[in-house]
Amino acid sequence: MNFALRVSPAVRYLLLWMICGATCGCNAPRRVCLPPGVLTSSAAVDLNSTSNQYSAPDRELFEASLARLKSASDGAAAESTRQYNVLALSGGGCYGAFSAGVLGGWTATGRRPVLDIVTGVSTGALIATYAFLGPEYDHLTGKMYTTISSSDIYRSRPKLAVLWSDSAATSEPLERLIASHINPQVLQAVANAHSQGRRLYVGTTNLDTGKLVIWDLGAIASSGQCNAIELYRKIILASASVPGFLPPVSIDVTVNGRQYTELHADGGATAQVFFRASMLSLDVSQFSNGRRPLVGSHMYIIVAGKAYQDPECVEPRAIKIASTALSSLTYAQTRNDLIRIYTLTMLTGMDFHVAMMPQDFPINRDSMAFDPAEMQRLYKEGYQLAAGNRVWADVPPVLDASQESIPRSGVDFFVPDDAVIRTGSTPES
């Protein structure tokens, strides 16, 4: 569910899969791949699109914002053209129960707004549809993330079968779970919201290009195509499929009348959480003369996990070292994604809000272990923090001075006793 290889078992499967792929790749089924660069070309046109939704490409908006910052005088009046409420949901496997709890607690405060834009990857992709449709769907999100078990998500293959398979486990249970939640009624509700100008996006990773692909699920739900619900479900399944642990999802595309097959996997492989300025109806000229057109808008982010991985004494073994390093990279990617979004909010005038698990909250290190009791505890934590208005921070964790990495001048340190008590750690004798 999350490429956030915070999970040592998933990482072990991934590494084993990589090794086996080098020796057994000849057994992989053949498919018709896109010629290199076809869909990465700026000339590619989406024939399914009925409108030019992306009126302000990120680069143009960024450059216009920098120009505004350089030319605006001190105290320039802020001008708002439209106010948006945006929610971005991160990956995190079973930690998505925390995100579901935050949504429920947020509703309980009576301050949860109608969301104009929702984005999600991985476990966030599973939550995104219900979060987009509103509080009346909270009970379904809560039920899904407090009652399911690992057997509802995946079924492990025999270890030897990995040698000729595309994954260590099958995602058939997850495919059935998604089908039971994304039914024609839900699809129609998404289409109705889309017709009102609201937008729902889910990210997957195109394994052929190694790039994030953003899907407009509202446009797909509204397309009227007979395969719309099948494609909608496939995208969510792909976004939640950890490479190597769960099989990638084949999605057929047509280019210049010829059909090709793409392989899509966990969106968390390329972005742990995402938002693009191009998703907003903005004119870059609005950034001239010191204007800040998104003042009064809110950017909400719910991270299914912590800012930093829990410390542990790492065993000097290759697999353990590799899994820990990959986990560190994923946590760092999450923090970097938050900084990117935070920078965008600073340039445009949006208010930034991020919800994350408390660093001292104990969790199971295996984010692919879907244990109902553990997920109920995660859900409760998210709910209580949100309901008590204690979950939102207005800066990303990397800007927290307490987490700053101070250059070392040697290897002799002193830690006050009260700091040891606060962190719950015990110094070795």
Side-chain angles (χ1 to χ4, degrees):
M1 281 293 167
N2 178 17
F3 186 74
L5 297 173
R6 311 171 169 140
V7 205
S8 53
V11 176
R12 292 191 184 100
Y13 280 125
L14 174 60
L15 293 173
L16 180 60
W17 176 77
M18 291 169 62
I19 294 170
C20 292
T23 58
C24 304
C26 58
N27 294 327
R30 296 185 61 84
R31 61 189 177 92
V32 182
C33 298
L34 279 159
V38 169
L39 284 189
T40 59
S41 168
S42 59
V45 177
D46 183 356
L47 298 180
N48 303 292
S49 178
T50 58
S51 64
N52 180 17
Q53 301 174 36
Y54 309 119
S55 58
D58 286 0
R59 183 171 59 84
E60 292 181 24
L61 188 147
F62 185 75
E63 292 175 352
S65 299
L66 289 179
R68 175 185 61 77
L69 291 174
K70 292 177 181 177
S71 63
S73 59
D74 292 339
E79 298 184 19
S80 175
T81 56
R82 175 181 171 182
Q83 295 180 353
Y84 290 87
N85 290 302
V86 182
L87 172 65
L89 296 159
S90 85
C94 67
Y95 304 150
F98 174 81
S99 302
V102 170
L103 288 170
W106 193 8
T107 298
T109 66
R111 299 175 185 152
R112 178 174 164 183
V114 174
L115 298 167
D116 300 291
I117 299 172
V118 173
T119 74
V121 295
S122 201
T123 200
L126 294 173
I127 300 172
T129 296
Y130 286 159
F132 177 69
L133 294 178
E136 59 267 35
Y137 289 83
D138 282 354
H139 69 287
L140 294 175
T141 310
K143 181 179 179 181
M144 180 167 61
Y145 275 90
T146 58
T147 62
I148 62 173
S149 62
S150 295
S151 62
D152 297 308
I153 303 299
Y154 60 86
R155 187 177 67 253
S156 298
R157 303 184 196 274
K159 291 186 178 180
L160 287 178
V162 176
L163 296 174
W164 57 82
S165 301
D166 56 2
S167 62
T170 72
S171 57
E172 293 172 1
L174 177 58
E175 189 172 359
R176 291 192 294 268
L177 180 68
I178 292 172
S180 69
H181 283 270
I182 305 301
N183 55 41
Q185 292 74 30
V186 168
L187 197 74
Q188 185 58 53
V190 171
N192 293 342
H194 183 81
S195 68
Q196 298 166 9
R198 298 168 57 209
R199 296 293 179 261
L200 171 61
Y201 301 102
V202 159
T204 64
T205 295
N206 184 330
L207 294 179
D208 295 321
T209 64
K211 293 184 177 181
L212 178 72
V213 175
I214 299 174
W215 300 86
D216 186 337
L217 292 189
I220 292 171
S222 306
S223 67
Q225 299 293 322
C226 60
N227 67 337
I229 194 167
E230 178 186 358
L231 178 58
Y232 194 111
R233 292 167 175 170
K234 272 191 170 186
I235 291 166
I236 295 177
L237 176 64
S239 187
S241 297
V242 181
F245 186 70
L246 295 178
V249 176
S250 299
I251 297 180
D252 293 333
V253 299
T254 302
V255 180
N256 296 341
R258 184 177 178 186
Q259 186 169 302
Y260 301 90
T261 301
E262 296 178 336
L263 284 184
H264 288 258
D266 194 344
T270 42
Q272 285 296 303
V273 61
F274 74 92
F275 173 65
R276 302 288 185 267
S278 53
M279 297 171 182
L280 304 173
S281 298
L282 295 176
D283 181 346
V284 292
S285 65
Q286 295 171 337
F287 287 79
S288 63
N289 301 322
R291 295 176 179 173
R292 303 181 72 199
L294 295 182
V295 168
S297 295
H298 295 270
M299 179 74 230
Y300 299 97
I301 304 170
I302 303 178
V303 176
K306 301 181 180 182
Y308 299 87
Q309 66 181 1
D310 289 337
E312 67 169 333
C313 184
V314 178
E315 298 175 9
R317 298 289 184 269
I319 294 294
K320 187 61 178 178
I321 292 171
S323 65
T324 301
L326 287 170
S327 176
S328 299
L329 284 172
T330 304
Y331 276 93
Q333 180 186 358
T334 301
R335 297 192 296 270
N336 289 337
D337 288 339
L338 292 177
I339 279 290
R340 174 175 178 165
I341 296 174
Y342 179 71
T343 301
L344 178 61
T345 64
M346 293 291 288
L347 292 172
T348 60
M350 299 180 77
D351 291 327
F352 180 89
H353 316 271
V354 60
M356 306 184 76
M357 281 187 201
Q359 198 61 42
D360 60 355
F361 182 70
I363 59 173
N364 184 340
R365 294 181 68 91
D366 186 352
S367 68
M368 292 299 285
F370 291 82
D371 175 62
E374 175 69 7
M375 294 172 71
Q376 289 165 18
R377 192 175 65 87
L378 294 170
Y379 180 92
K380 182 179 179 180
E381 177 71 6
Y383 187 98
Q384 291 180 339
L385 288 174
N389 293 311
R390 295 177 289 116
V391 76
W392 301 108
D394 57 7
V395 294
V398 73
L399 297 182
D400 182 351
S402 67
Q403 299 293 337
E404 183 178 357
S405 180
I406 301 173
R408 292 183 173 186
S409 57
V411 293
D412 191 12
F413 308 100
F414 168 76
V415 178
D417 290 341
D418 62 334
V420 174
I421 294 174
R422 285 198 307 271
T423 60
S425 61
T426 303
E428 295 183 2
S429 57

